[in-house]
Amino acid sequence: MAITVANCCFSALSSAFKSQPRLATSASHSYLDARSLKASNNENRAPKKRSSASPLKSNAQQKLPGRLKDDKSSLYGDGGKGETGRLQATGFKSFGTQRKEKKEFQLDSREQQQQVEPGNFQDATFLNAVVKVYCTHTAPDYSLPWQKQRQYTSTGSAFMIGDGKLLTNAHCVEHDTQIKVKRRGDDTKYVAKVLARGVDCDIALLSVESQEFWKGAEPLRLGHLPRLQDAVTVVGYPLGGDTISVTKGVVSRIEVTSYAHGSSDLLGIQIDAAINPGNSGGPAFNEQGECIGVAFQVYRSEEAENIGYVIPTTVVSHFLNDYERNGKYTGFPCLGVLLQKLENPALRACLQVQSNEGVLVRRVEPTSDAHNVLKQGDVIVSFDDVHVGSEGTVPFRSNERIAFRYLISQKFAGDVAELGIIRAGKFIKVPVELNPRVHLVPYHIDGDQPSYLIIAGLVFTPLSEPLIEEECEESIGLKLLAKARYSLARFKGQQIVILSQVLANEVNIGYEDMGNQQVLKFNGTRIKNIHHLAHLVASCQDKYMVFEFEDNYLAVLEREVAMAASSRILKDYGIPSERSDDLLEPYVDSLGDNQAVEHDFGDSPVSNLEMGFDSLLWA
């Protein structure tokens, strides 16, 4: 199977070992996950080492010098879920209503709408609000973190929402160095800038300063969540031509879906309208001409066809309201618990649950706010007074049910939810603050450069999913892969720091073949993150620097000799600095100097058995 994200790029990189789908960008590589979702983008990207492709891909078009690469399977970080939109309508207004003190983006509730006749669709004025996106990307080189990869270009789609802003997919403008947009029927490209980027929901907000670009523009209006079998039209600039493209279908399914580019499960709309590379970021309309979502990924498999996904307007509005409230995008919150369904009557009786409801708390993430409120063995039976069924679902519209985590996604970071739980047979209500999840191994790296530290040729860097994809799973090893997939962060700021490679020199003789090994301690002190390691090295006054790795493997350097050789090694390998810019900042201990750190960080993975069962789910 393969899910492809509909975006401006072609990408086909993925790792079958991953449990969550990832986004495949418009480049020739895509992120892999255990699912088959792909992002639909038109993008050209420099080749990278990858593992087996996944069925979840992004539809993107990528251009490389001298050749065009095929779209490969890729998954969005959280599970590669996507949504599709509809098409219907004529006139458009700004979907956002601005208030004096707080701007809230609301869905248009008007019922009197002029419908567009099929024969006149190509003349509908709202098609002029859909633009083509040209993006030049320069991605970091995670294996050689002091430099960038070769730049590549991609094309995708976007649409006007008013107030000088455009919406597109985050994966369309990932690692952007230049973004240009062009209106339908125009031959001029205008420079655009990224105002906000939501990796977890795969949405990006762009601005265009040129007044010429906005002349005569009519922004699209956001509509309501559609119903099953509602007609939908997807508009964009996919592969196969330079002009605007229109495809039609119906809404097939609405449910919580894995987003291939992010690392989250959010509401998604499944449609049967064609979504191809380059469609990513384009709107989907209903019959009233209202935008009901953003096309972003497709599902490709030999057993299935015509499965596309659209990000619904409920997710889009959440993203926009988050940006307006905070001046930046903060992300969708997470409860941070591992849940088990309570379908078995004997299990419910053992837990003293009288009715056919509730989900069992199996594990609470140490970094979540729920860690101080919920306990292992609690049964969650309600969320803000909405009853949770024994299958982990809650009521949704009329005669429908949806995954419990849908309710969590309706909240904003910092919101407090009231949970009804059964603990030791007694029903109680507890407040829980909701915040974005803390990932031990991040799916995306903030900023333009990965962190790194070079000590006498030993290159240290935090483990991340992009690094795993670049290095390939075989070179990373099963032990690190298991930690990346199943381990939980014990505290905010924790990282798995690895020795990625050794730059051979006489000072590090005997260590040249070391690579992709986790460093646990420096001179007997357990390492919390790479900034902590840099601090320990800088403050070291001992004669020897002792690095302890897994399986009791040691690497010892004489401190004065190693420091003297460092500048020569950097010059020999053409490296500008021994550390990344972020490590030049003073180190602040997130745990506090008085708190002992004796845990085996990263060595308590959730078992494959737990993560593999369908009856278990993360909220």
Side-chain angles (χ1 to χ4, degrees):
M1 302 179 185
I3 296 185
T4 309
V5 179
N7 202 338
C8 60
C9 315
F10 271 139
S11 270
L13 289 180
S14 70
S15 62
F17 194 91
K18 300 181 181 178
S19 63
Q20 296 173 338
R22 308 223 174 165
L23 157 69
T25 54
S26 56
S28 59
H29 73 270
S30 57
Y31 303 167
L32 286 196
D33 221 325
R35 310 184 185 179
S36 38
L37 285 173
K38 301 181 180 181
S40 318
N41 281 6
N42 294 332
E43 196 176 291
N44 294 325
R45 170 177 301 193
K48 288 171 113 182
K49 297 180 286 182
R50 302 280 175 173
S51 54
S52 58
S54 148
L56 181 51
K57 301 181 179 179
S58 67
N59 296 335
Q61 223 173 305
Q62 298 179 346
K63 297 178 181 178
L64 286 174
R67 63 176 177 178
L68 177 66
K69 294 198 171 187
D70 296 333
D71 183 10
K72 298 182 181 181
S73 63
S74 75
L75 305 181
Y76 278 2
D78 204 68
K81 300 178 182 180
E83 311 164 43
T84 355
R86 312 217 168 147
L87 173 61
Q88 310 171 338
T90 50
F92 293 91
K93 298 183 179 179
S94 174
F95 68 91
T97 302
Q98 298 184 2
R99 300 179 180 176
K100 291 184 179 180
E101 296 183 359
K102 181 190 292 186
K103 295 181 180 179
E104 290 290 340
F105 291 85
Q106 299 175 340
L107 306 184
D108 199 312
S109 60
R110 302 175 186 179
E111 298 180 357
Q112 301 288 333
Q113 299 292 342
Q114 178 182 356
Q115 295 194 5
V116 178
E117 296 296 333
N120 300 327
F121 190 82
Q122 65 179 14
D123 299 324
T125 57
F126 58 78
L127 291 184
N128 296 328
V130 185
V131 304
K132 190 170 185 176
V133 178
Y134 301 82
C135 187
T136 301
H137 312 255
T138 307
D141 190 326
Y142 296 94
S143 297
L144 304 174
W146 50 86
Q147 66 185 30
K148 298 279 190 176
Q149 298 182 34
R150 184 176 182 179
Q151 73 177 25
Y152 61 94
T153 61
S154 71
T155 63
S157 305
F159 59 93
M160 303 174 182
I161 61 172
D163 197 22
K165 296 181 178 64
L166 300 168
L167 271 186
T168 186
N169 284 141
H171 70 267
C172 287
V173 293
E174 186 178 28
H175 305 307
D176 63 284
T177 52
Q178 184 185 68
I179 303 172
K180 295 179 290 185
V181 294
K182 185 173 72 173
R183 292 183 59 175
R184 180 190 182 199
D186 195 355
D187 61 354
T188 303
K189 297 177 183 176
Y190 298 87
V191 175
K193 301 293 183 182
V194 177
L195 295 178
R197 199 189 320 260
V199 173
D200 53 356
C201 60
D202 198 10
I203 302 174
L205 185 65
L206 310 181
S207 68
V208 179
E209 295 182 356
S210 173
Q211 297 301 317
E212 187 70 22
F213 174 81
W214 297 101
K215 282 186 177 180
E218 293 188 50
L220 299 187
R221 181 179 61 250
L222 292 187
H224 290 286
L225 195 66
R227 298 280 180 175
L228 296 181
Q229 294 188 331
D230 279 358
V232 59
T233 303
V234 177
V235 180
Y237 292 87
L239 185 68
D242 294 327
T243 58
I244 200 165
S245 170
V246 177
T247 58
K248 293 188 176 183
V250 299
V251 174
S252 307
R253 179 183 291 144
I254 300 176
E255 64 181 2
V256 174
T257 299
S258 292
Y259 280 44
H261 182 61
S263 56
S264 58
D265 290 347
L266 301 172
L267 192 66
I269 305 173
Q270 178 184 320
I271 62 172
D272 65 355
I275 296 179
N276 295 301
N279 270 126
S280 281
F285 295 96
N286 60 19
E287 290 179 344
Q288 285 74 44
E290 299 170 328
C291 174
I292 55 92
V294 185
F296 77 119
Q297 65 189 26
V298 299
Y299 183 89
R300 293 183 178 175
S301 167
E302 295 179 356
E303 293 80 20
E305 58 185 16
N306 297 332
I307 298 179
Y309 293 92
V310 173
I311 303 171
T313 52
T314 52
V315 175
V316 173
S317 297
H318 188 288
F319 168 84
L320 294 172
N321 288 330
D322 188 351
Y323 173 74
E324 291 297 333
R325 287 182 177 189
N326 303 290
K328 62 179 181 179
Y329 177 70
T330 60
F332 282 79
C334 174
L335 185 57
V337 294
L338 178 65
L339 303 173
Q340 179 178 349
K341 301 176 184 179
L342 295 183
E343 298 179 271
N344 188 278
L347 177 58
R348 292 196 301 270
C350 179
L351 296 171
Q352 303 182 52
V353 179
Q354 303 301 323
S355 57
N356 184 19
E357 62 179 355
V359 285
L360 174 65
V361 175
R362 289 289 311 279
R363 189 181 179 97
V364 184
E365 293 189 354
T367 56
S368 71
D369 293 276
H371 188 260
N372 299 319
V373 179
L374 298 178
K375 299 179 179 180
Q376 179 179 331
D378 287 347
V379 176
I380 300 175
V381 295
S382 68
F383 183 94
D384 282 344
D385 293 326
V386 177
H387 290 284
V388 180
S390 62
E391 289 188 335
T393 60
V394 295
F396 179 65
R397 302 198 294 191
S398 60
N399 300 322
E400 296 180 73
R401 296 190 69 84
I402 197 167
F404 161 53
R405 53 188 178 272
Y406 166 73
L407 296 180
I408 302 171
S409 70
Q410 302 305 295
K411 299 286 188 177
F412 290 89
D415 285 354
V416 176
E418 186 178 64
L419 298 182
I421 64 173
I422 295 177
R423 178 179 295 169
K426 295 181 179 180
F427 175 80
I428 58 175
K429 287 189 174 182
V430 294
V432 177
E433 183 175 336
L434 304 174
N435 284 295
R437 186 179 182 188
V438 176
H439 293 277
L440 178 62
V441 178
Y443 288 90
H444 293 266
I445 303 297
D446 295 331
D448 297 329
Q449 182 185 39
S451 300
Y452 73 89
L453 176 67
I454 303 176
I455 305 169
L458 277 64
V459 181
F460 297 94
T461 189
L463 184 65
S464 65
E465 292 293 348
L467 176 61
I468 293 175
E469 291 167 3
E470 198 166 290
E471 285 290 306
C472 296
E473 293 177 352
E474 292 78 5
S475 64
I476 291 293
L478 289 178
K479 195 164 188 178
L480 277 181
L481 281 176
K483 290 184 178 183
R485 301 298 178 264
Y486 307 125
S487 291
L488 303 177
R490 302 280 181 87
F491 58 89
K492 294 180 180 179
Q494 182 188 356
Q495 295 175 328
I496 295 179
V497 181
I498 66 170
L499 173 66
S500 63
Q501 60 179 305
V502 176
L503 308 175
N505 184 272
E506 60 184 13
V507 74
N508 53 46
I509 287 178
Y511 308 138
E512 304 93 334
D513 296 332
M514 295 181 65
N516 294 328
Q517 293 177 253
Q518 182 182 2
V519 55
L520 301 177
K521 296 181 180 180
F522 175 80
N523 283 3
T525 301
R526 185 166 293 278
I527 297 168
K528 304 170 188 176
N529 50 49
I530 192 167
H531 208 159
H532 184 220
L533 174 61
H535 169 72
L536 293 175
V537 171
S539 57
C540 177
Q541 298 297 322
D542 297 339
K543 180 178 181 180
Y544 295 104
M545 296 190 294
V546 181
F547 300 89
E548 298 181 43
F549 298 87
E550 288 188 314
D551 301 322
N552 299 319
Y553 195 93
L554 296 180
V556 179
L557 299 172
E558 190 172 344
R559 182 176 60 84
E560 293 184 357
V561 175
M563 293 306 178
S566 291
S567 59
R568 184 173 66 254
I569 295 174
L570 295 178
K571 182 179 179 180
D572 291 344
Y573 286 88
I575 302 173
S577 176
E578 66 176 2
R579 64 185 64 195
S580 54
D581 293 341
D582 61 313
L583 300 187
L584 298 176
E585 300 293 330
Y587 172 70
V588 178
D589 191 348
S590 60
L591 290 182
D593 294 332
N594 297 326
Q595 182 168 350
V597 182
E598 298 296 339
H599 303 295
D600 235 1
F601 290 147
D603 276 343
S604 296
V606 177
S607 69
N608 295 352
L609 182 65
E610 287 177 330
M611 296 299 290
F613 279 171
D614 290 337
S615 61
L616 294 166
L617 59 152
W618 280 103

